[in-house]
Amino acid sequence: MRSILVLNGPNLNLLGTRQPEIYGTTTLADVEDMCAAHAEKIGVAVTCAQSNHEGALVDHIHAARGVHDAIILNAGAYTHTSIALMDAISSTEATVVELHLSNIHARETFRHTSYISPVSVGLICGFGANGYILAMDAVLHHLES
Ligand code: CA2
Protein backbone atom coordinates (compact mmCIF):
# COMPACT_ATOMS: atom_id res chain seq x y z
CA MET A 1 0.00 0.00 0.00
CA ARG A 2 1.28 3.48 -0.91
CA SER A 3 1.97 5.82 1.97
CA ILE A 4 1.55 9.60 1.96
CA LEU A 5 2.78 12.12 4.52
CA VAL A 6 0.69 15.31 4.74
CA LEU A 7 3.03 17.87 6.25
CA ASN A 8 1.89 21.33 7.32
CA GLY A 9 4.15 24.19 8.31
CA PRO A 10 4.03 27.32 10.45
CA ASN A 11 0.76 28.81 11.65
CA LEU A 12 -1.35 26.20 9.91
CA ASN A 13 -2.34 24.94 13.36
CA LEU A 14 -4.45 28.14 13.45
CA LEU A 15 -6.45 27.13 10.41
CA GLY A 16 -10.17 27.82 10.75
CA THR A 17 -9.70 30.16 13.70
CA ARG A 18 -8.53 33.38 11.97
CA GLN A 19 -8.51 35.02 8.52
CA PRO A 20 -11.37 32.82 7.19
CA GLU A 21 -11.66 35.12 4.15
CA ILE A 22 -8.23 33.86 3.02
CA TYR A 23 -7.90 30.39 4.51
CA GLY A 24 -11.51 29.27 5.05
CA THR A 25 -13.22 27.94 8.15
CA THR A 26 -11.96 24.35 8.03
CA THR A 27 -9.65 23.56 10.96
CA LEU A 28 -6.41 21.60 10.69
CA ALA A 29 -8.10 18.73 12.56
CA ASP A 30 -10.88 18.80 9.91
CA VAL A 31 -8.25 18.70 7.13
CA GLU A 32 -6.53 15.74 8.76
CA ASP A 33 -9.87 13.92 9.16
CA MET A 34 -10.69 14.62 5.50
CA CYS A 35 -7.29 13.21 4.45
CA ALA A 36 -7.78 10.09 6.59
CA ALA A 37 -11.26 9.48 5.12
CA HIS A 38 -10.02 10.03 1.58
CA ALA A 39 -7.01 7.76 2.14
CA GLU A 40 -9.37 4.94 3.10
CA LYS A 41 -11.45 5.60 0.00
CA ILE A 42 -8.50 5.49 -2.42
CA GLY A 43 -6.63 2.73 -0.59
CA VAL A 44 -3.52 4.51 0.66
CA ALA A 45 -1.99 5.02 4.09
CA VAL A 46 -1.78 8.61 5.30
CA THR A 47 0.10 10.24 8.16
CA CYS A 48 -0.40 13.89 9.07
CA ALA A 49 2.07 16.17 10.86
CA GLN A 50 2.41 19.89 11.54
CA SER A 51 5.20 22.01 12.94
CA ASN A 52 5.88 25.70 13.36
CA HIS A 53 9.63 25.03 13.27
CA GLU A 54 11.73 24.89 10.12
CA GLY A 55 14.20 22.29 11.45
CA ALA A 56 11.37 20.04 12.63
CA LEU A 57 9.90 20.13 9.12
CA VAL A 58 13.33 19.17 7.74
CA ASP A 59 13.40 16.30 10.26
CA HIS A 60 9.97 15.10 9.07
CA ILE A 61 11.19 15.09 5.46
CA HIS A 62 14.31 13.11 6.43
CA ALA A 63 12.24 10.64 8.47
CA ALA A 64 10.01 9.98 5.45
CA ARG A 65 12.86 8.05 3.83
CA GLY A 66 11.81 4.45 3.32
CA VAL A 67 8.47 5.10 5.03
CA HIS A 68 6.42 7.35 2.76
CA ASP A 69 6.20 7.31 -1.03
CA ALA A 70 5.01 10.90 -1.22
CA ILE A 71 4.82 14.08 0.79
CA ILE A 72 2.09 16.70 0.40
CA LEU A 73 3.77 19.79 1.78
CA ASN A 74 2.17 23.06 2.77
CA ALA A 75 5.32 24.77 4.01
CA GLY A 76 3.40 27.96 4.87
CA ALA A 77 5.62 31.06 4.88
CA TYR A 78 8.78 28.90 4.77
CA THR A 79 7.79 28.27 1.14
CA HIS A 80 9.07 31.73 0.32
CA THR A 81 12.28 31.65 2.38
CA SER A 82 13.60 28.18 3.12
CA ILE A 83 16.65 26.86 1.28
CA ALA A 84 16.86 24.26 4.10
CA LEU A 85 13.49 22.80 3.08
CA MET A 86 14.46 22.93 -0.59
CA ASP A 87 17.66 21.00 0.18
CA ALA A 88 15.77 18.45 2.29
CA ILE A 89 13.31 17.85 -0.54
CA SER A 90 16.15 17.55 -3.04
CA SER A 91 17.68 14.80 -0.91
CA THR A 92 14.48 12.81 -0.36
CA GLU A 93 13.36 9.89 -2.47
CA ALA A 94 9.72 10.71 -1.76
CA THR A 95 7.67 12.49 -4.40
CA VAL A 96 6.76 15.94 -3.12
CA VAL A 97 3.66 17.94 -4.04
CA GLU A 98 3.63 21.59 -3.00
CA LEU A 99 0.28 22.71 -1.65
CA HIS A 100 -1.27 26.02 -0.62
CA LEU A 101 -4.80 26.79 0.47
CA SER A 102 -4.70 30.21 -1.15
CA ASN A 103 -3.59 31.11 -4.66
CA ILE A 104 -0.15 32.45 -3.76
CA HIS A 105 0.21 33.95 -7.26
CA ALA A 106 -2.84 36.16 -6.77
CA ARG A 107 -1.46 37.57 -3.51
CA GLU A 108 1.50 39.77 -2.46
CA THR A 109 4.58 39.63 -4.70
CA PHE A 110 6.73 38.05 -1.96
CA ARG A 111 4.41 35.01 -2.05
CA HIS A 112 5.09 34.48 -5.78
CA THR A 113 8.55 33.10 -5.00
CA SER A 114 8.70 29.47 -3.91
CA TYR A 115 11.79 27.48 -2.93
CA ILE A 116 9.56 24.39 -2.94
CA SER A 117 8.26 24.50 -6.53
CA PRO A 118 11.59 23.73 -8.30
CA VAL A 119 12.01 20.52 -6.29
CA SER A 120 8.38 19.37 -6.36
CA VAL A 121 6.57 17.26 -8.92
CA GLY A 122 3.73 19.77 -9.00
CA LEU A 123 1.83 22.51 -7.24
CA ILE A 124 -1.77 22.78 -6.12
CA CYS A 125 -2.94 26.14 -4.80
CA GLY A 126 -6.09 28.20 -4.48
CA PHE A 127 -8.58 25.42 -3.79
CA GLY A 128 -8.72 25.74 -0.02
CA ALA A 129 -8.92 22.60 2.09
CA ASN A 130 -10.10 20.58 -0.91
CA GLY A 131 -6.60 21.04 -2.31
CA TYR A 132 -5.36 18.31 0.06
CA ILE A 133 -7.79 15.84 -1.53
CA LEU A 134 -6.79 16.96 -5.03
CA ALA A 135 -3.13 16.55 -4.06
CA MET A 136 -3.70 13.01 -2.72
CA ASP A 137 -5.40 11.98 -5.98
CA ALA A 138 -2.74 13.69 -8.09
CA VAL A 139 0.22 12.18 -6.29
CA LEU A 140 -1.29 8.69 -6.25
CA HIS A 141 -1.93 8.96 -9.99
CA HIS A 142 1.66 10.17 -10.45
CA LEU A 143 3.08 7.27 -8.41
CA GLU A 144 1.01 4.69 -10.28
CA SER A 145 1.78 6.01 -13.77
O1 CA2 B 1 -2.08 29.49 1.29
C1 CA2 B 1 -1.37 28.78 1.99
O2 CA2 B 1 -1.64 27.62 2.29
C2 CA2 B 1 -0.08 29.37 2.58
O3 CA2 B 1 0.92 28.36 2.58
C3 CA2 B 1 -0.41 29.78 4.00
C4 CA2 B 1 0.72 30.52 4.70
C5 CA2 B 1 1.25 31.66 3.84
O4 CA2 B 1 2.37 32.26 4.46
C6 CA2 B 1 1.62 31.18 2.45
O5 CA2 B 1 2.06 32.29 1.70
C7 CA2 B 1 0.44 30.54 1.77
C8 CA2 B 1 0.24 31.11 6.02
C9 CA2 B 1 -0.35 30.11 6.94
C10 CA2 B 1 -1.06 30.85 8.02
O6 CA2 B 1 -2.18 30.11 8.34
C11 CA2 B 1 -3.12 30.72 9.08
C12 CA2 B 1 -4.35 30.13 9.06
C13 CA2 B 1 -5.36 30.69 9.78
C14 CA2 B 1 -5.13 31.82 10.54
C15 CA2 B 1 -3.89 32.39 10.55
C16 CA2 B 1 -2.87 31.84 9.83
Side-chain angles (χ1 to χ4, degrees):
M1 188 187 264
R2 300 284 192 183
S3 177
I4 300 173
L5 172 65
V6 175
L7 184 56
N8 283 294
N11 297 309
L12 287 157
N13 54 312
L14 300 177
L15 210 56
T17 66
R18 293 173 214 170
Q19 296 180 272
E21 67 287 359
I22 303 176
Y23 299 116
T25 53
T26 308
T27 66
L28 183 61
D30 293 336
V31 166
E32 294 183 350
D33 287 348
M34 282 167 54
C35 290
H38 195 63
E40 211 171 302
K41 190 172 158 191
I42 63 174
V44 301
V46 72
T47 303
C48 297
Q50 187 272 335
S51 178
N52 292 320
H53 305 279
E54 188 176 13
L57 294 168
V58 170
D59 288 342
H60 277 294
I61 294 168
H62 290 176
R65 190 189 180 93
V67 178
H68 301 293
D69 301 292
I71 303 172
I72 295 169
L73 175 63
N74 185 347
Y78 290 141
T79 302
H80 318 299
T81 61
S82 180
I83 297 169
L85 281 176
M86 182 177 77
D87 287 346
I89 295 167
S90 295
S91 74
T92 188
E93 285 160 7
T95 300
V96 175
V97 175
E98 177 181 1
L99 182 126
H100 301 285
L101 295 148
S102 62
N103 179 356
I104 54 173
H105 296 289
R107 300 183 63 193
E108 304 94 321
T109 316
F110 67 85
R111 294 187 205 275
H112 300 180
T113 300
S114 170
Y115 284 90
I116 309 302
S117 293
V119 288
S120 297
V121 69
L123 160 71
I124 291 175
C125 72
F127 294 101
N130 193 46
Y132 290 85
I133 303 304
L134 299 175
M136 288 176 74
D137 287 340
V139 82
L140 182 61
H141 185 268
H142 180 85
L143 291 170
E144 300 292 325
S145 61

